[in-house]
Amino acid sequence: MSHPEDEDPAALFRAAIGEVTPLRKVVTPPPATPRPKPRARMAEQDEQEARGEFARLLRDSSPLEAGDTASYRRENLPPRMFQRLKRGQYSVQDELDLHGATVAQAEALVRQFLVEAHAHEYGCVRIIHGKGLQSDGGAPVLKNLVDRLLRLRNDVLAFHSAPAGQGGTGAVLVLLANR
């Protein structure tokens, strides 16, 4: 009497399944045209939506021109503090330069910059948006984006175009609320 452990497992398997016919190997030819390079469709869609949102903001309010002063003050901020900001008398603790950024990139950069400014408990920061002299269609895109974004944020007490020696109408000084 033979024990099951003495038998070859492969022989047992072949005996169990019986006669087999091997499958014919099918060779598929490579595609005639190469696949297109992948596109960042979601990034393109986000950029398109940001442009649409920005265009809506510009339609709803008159856009700032290249030489216009960007200015905003919350009602609860004392006028004296706002005057000091306008004169550039607060020490700038950090700076963000948006030159060369797209609308979507600039929006993300500004939001991240302000989050980090709060994490470091900065009181005054500068955002350089440029004057927009190179903008298509006339209105400086990044300048208007920064103006609209800052107005919507609860953590911004005030902002004003920088004095001439600190960037003039191509930059904005931002006074941030403490936590």
Side-chain angles (χ1 to χ4, degrees), residues 17-36:
I17 62 166
E19 190 72 28
V20 295
T21 309
L23 292 174
R24 231 175 13 130
K25 197 166 201 170
V26 179
V27 179
T28 56
T33 57
R35 296 181 115 187

Side-chain angles (χ1 to χ4, degrees), residues 109-120 153 155 179:
L109 286 168
V110 168
R111 289 181 192 280
Q112 185 60 39
F113 177 69
L114 293 175
V115 165
E116 290 172 12
H118 277 288
H120 289 95
R153 292 192 60 101
D155 53 356
R179 287 186 177 190

Side-chain angles (χ1 to χ4, degrees), residues 35-72:
R35 296 181 115 187
K37 284 189 175 179
R39 283 182 20 226
R41 274 187 240 124
M42 291 307 288
E44 289 170 7
Q45 183 180 341
D46 290 348
E47 179 74 20
Q48 196 69 30
E49 286 174 10
R51 274 194 223 111
E53 181 66 28
F54 184 64
R56 214 171 5 269
L57 278 172
L58 289 181
R59 269 197 315 273
D60 295 347
S61 60
S62 56
L64 294 169
E65 297 299 324
D68 291 350
T69 299
S71 186
Y72 169 80

Side-chain angles (χ1 to χ4, degrees), residues 49 62 73 86 112 147 160:
E49 286 174 10
S62 56
R73 173 180 78 91
K86 284 169 68 168
Q112 185 60 39
D147 180 82
H160 196 278

